[in-house]
Amino acid sequence: MTIRFVLNGREMCLDVAPDRRAVVLLREDLAVLGPKEGCGSGECGACSVLVDGEHRLSCLMLAAQLDGREVLTSEGLGDTETPHPLHQAFAAHGAVQCGFCSPGMVVAAAGLLGKKARPSREEVRRVLSGNLCRCTGYVKIVDAVLAAARVLRGRP
Amino acid sequence: MNVRLPVTLAELFAALEEPGARVLAGGTDLLVQLRSRAGAHGSQTLVGLERIRELQGITATDGVIRIGAAETHASILENRLARSRLPLLTAALAELGGPAIRNMGTIGGNACTASPAGDSLPPLYALEAEVELASRQGLRRMAISGFIQGPGRTSLERGEILSALLVPQAKGFDLHHFEKVGRRSALAIAVVSLAALIRRDPSGRVLEARLALGSVGPTVLRCPEAENLLTGRRLTLASLKPAAAALRRAVTPIDDVRATAAYRRQVAGNLLLRLAVLA
């Protein structure tokens, strides 16, 4: 089937198998490597993407479900030349160790900051509660999200 | 595998007539199941509910809250009507899965998956909710306790979907309590859960108690014996202990990877004792 959706601000029109999983479509067909497949069953959050601004799991979505939607991954927030405040804060706070969970963490945090400019520490912990990190112990990740929120609030 | 995303109920019922058609709600259970049996479903058609307006919306009529089956757990949690009128249900939904799962999974899907560990189910049993089932032939209604027949088994007929939950507001009940014990606080499948609704007179004596337990048998369990033991009593440890013993006798838990049956039996009673400190 033909699907049309916006990926990281770019209009896409693809001919795909309707049951191709979104995480496979993104990674293998489109070389968007931020979303990772960890558990493949909705327990780790590594495949997190934003769909129309909502945090979802791309391992539990099918290509057909992307039709007409707007999809955002960590790549869509910024890149090496123009990193997003979340990217910068993750680097500055040592919130990245092996890095496997980081794009999902950043996306989950971006979903929260899109709705709430001044989240509490508890709200950040809650919004990241479905994203597993086996390296950091989470404290630095939560610190980074709160720091990025401060930077974003300071912007005109 | 084909995927159809109808936008009206008429289109949905037509799509469900295709051979091998299966309903796809939020996908958080079904897609995991299908993947574990990869290759065996080439001729299946998944028919998604997510774009059908008629299956969305939360409205109240005469003390009954109607929740469209395709409403996600997150959208119910954000809904002012649901939060103010159904605090028992929203307390449970706040602990279901994690944020992304709550953005995807639906209340209708949680009922149709019919897992004994479905977090929305103990509150729906305690609230004595009904399900509305829709097919080309029209609508029918039944109690949630009659709809769910066993693990993964429901009363749905071929060509029929769960279209809404009809949840009575527990008017007059002054204690709405949900507690879930899991291996961790987020993304945990319940080891045992308890939904309790208590209505008391001004002196604190129980007029009516409704207790529903999850993950301790093939379906969610109401325990009339324990409920009756509390009636006429105040919620003290002395009155709760015999009722907790009745709960432990009534449950039929199993050993699994998350906990032993003996642990579940013990905790099922312990959760009721909590009411002594909440009361």
Side-chain angles (χ1 to χ4, degrees):
Chain A
M1 73 180 286
T2 302
I3 60 168
R4 288 166 205 279
F5 66 106
V6 175
L7 174 61
N8 294 332
R10 275 183 56 203
E11 301 255 3
M12 312 296 287
C13 179
L14 300 174
D15 196 25
V16 290
D19 64 342
R20 194 155 177 80
R21 288 182 308 132
V23 67
V24 177
L25 174 85
L26 291 170
R27 291 181 57 82
E28 293 180 18
D29 301 348
L30 301 172
V32 173
L33 301 178
K36 312 275 189 260
E37 178 151 20
C39 66
S41 59
E43 296 187 33
C44 77
C47 67
S48 293
V49 296
L50 296 187
V51 177
D52 292 346
E54 298 276 352
H55 178 190
R56 286 170 182 263
L57 301 174
S58 60
C59 79
L60 296 180
M61 287 190 76
L62 303 175
Q65 294 176 284
L66 298 180
D67 188 43
R69 306 291 190 200
E70 212 167 297
V71 179
L72 190 79
T73 71
S74 176
E75 289 92 335
L77 290 170
D79 56 25
T80 317
E81 280 73 48
T82 52
H84 187 272
L86 276 164
H87 294 144
Q88 289 176 312
F90 268 61
H93 286 78
V96 179
Q97 287 187 31
C98 87
F100 193 85
C101 74
S102 307
M105 289 282 181
V106 164
V107 157
L112 173 68
L113 299 185
K115 289 177 186 164
K116 193 142 194 179
R118 195 181 293 272
S120 68
R121 192 167 190 92
E122 186 48 39
E123 285 170 320
V124 173
R125 287 170 52 93
R126 252 189 104 69
V127 94
L128 300 179
S129 63
N131 291 69
L132 297 189
C133 171
R134 301 290 77 176
C135 305
T136 64
Y138 302 100
V139 173
K140 293 175 177 191
I141 294 175
V142 177
D143 288 345
V145 175
L146 290 168
R150 284 192 295 274
V151 171
L152 286 164
R153 284 201 299 276
R155 287 189 171 178
Chain B
M1 200 163 58
N2 287 321
V3 183
R4 304 244 183 283
L5 296 172
V7 296
T8 65
L9 282 178
E11 286 175 26
L12 166 75
F13 293 132
L16 287 180
E17 294 195 347
E18 290 181 36
R22 282 192 78 172
V23 174
L24 169 71
T28 54
D29 284 309
L30 181 61
L31 295 182
V32 177
Q33 264 180 42
L34 290 179
R35 254 198 101 206
S36 64
R37 284 171 234 147
H41 36 77
S43 60
Q44 276 189 350
T45 297
L46 293 184
V47 184
L49 305 182
E50 65 188 40
R51 303 192 182 197
I52 304 174
R53 276 281 168 81
E54 293 142 290
L55 299 177
Q56 293 166 3
I58 301 175
T59 52
T61 316
D62 299 333
V64 176
I65 317 299
R66 184 183 192 282
I67 305 177
E71 286 288 341
T72 65
H73 308 302
S75 62
I76 297 167
L77 278 169
E78 282 163 20
N79 182 273
R80 197 181 298 170
L81 194 61
R83 276 207 316 267
S84 63
R85 309 264 188 106
L86 302 173
L88 183 67
L89 178 64
T90 51
L93 296 183
E95 293 192 42
L96 184 154
I101 295 288
R102 291 194 288 272
N103 282 339
M104 302 171 76
T106 67
I107 188 147
N110 205 232
C112 291
T113 295
S115 160
D119 285 322
S120 73
L121 300 179
L124 292 174
Y125 275 64
L127 289 158
E128 299 182 346
E130 289 191 312
V131 294
E132 178 193 273
L133 309 180
S135 69
R136 274 208 161 137
Q137 283 69 49
L139 298 178
R140 59 186 183 127
R141 285 166 69 152
M142 67 174 74
I144 182 91
S145 55
F147 173 69
I148 293 177
Q149 298 176 347
R153 283 191 298 119
T154 69
S155 305
L156 279 177
E157 308 262 356
R158 176 136 192 87
E160 190 174 49
I161 60 151
L162 194 162
S163 48
L165 274 299
L166 304 159
V167 192
Q169 187 184 338
K171 272 204 182 121
F173 284 81
D174 56 303
L175 187 62
H176 302 239
H177 173 65
F178 176 81
E179 183 167 357
K180 162 175 158 180
V181 173
R183 297 290 297 266
R184 54 187 291 242
S185 57
L187 280 177
I189 292 175
V191 166
V192 187
S193 59
L194 169 71
L197 279 177
I198 309 282
R199 191 160 62 84
R200 287 175 291 190
D201 69 15
S203 75
R205 285 182 205 282
V206 173
L207 296 168
E208 186 181 356
R210 297 189 196 164
L211 307 171
L213 287 151
S215 293
V216 290
T219 64
V220 167
L221 173 92
R222 278 282 295 271
C223 185
E225 193 194 345
E227 294 173 357
N228 291 336
L229 282 168
L230 293 179
T231 307
R233 309 286 305 272
R234 290 195 178 82
L235 295 180
T236 62
L237 267 186
S239 67
L240 289 164
K241 276 184 177 164
L247 283 185
R248 293 196 188 102
R249 283 194 300 275
V251 299
T252 55
I254 55 167
D255 291 318
D256 70 10
V257 62
R258 283 177 285 280
T260 62
Y263 177 81
R264 288 189 158 99
R265 190 178 296 279
Q266 178 68 41
V267 172
N270 293 1
L271 285 179
L272 186 66
L273 302 181
R274 183 91 66 206
L275 299 189
V277 287
L278 297 173

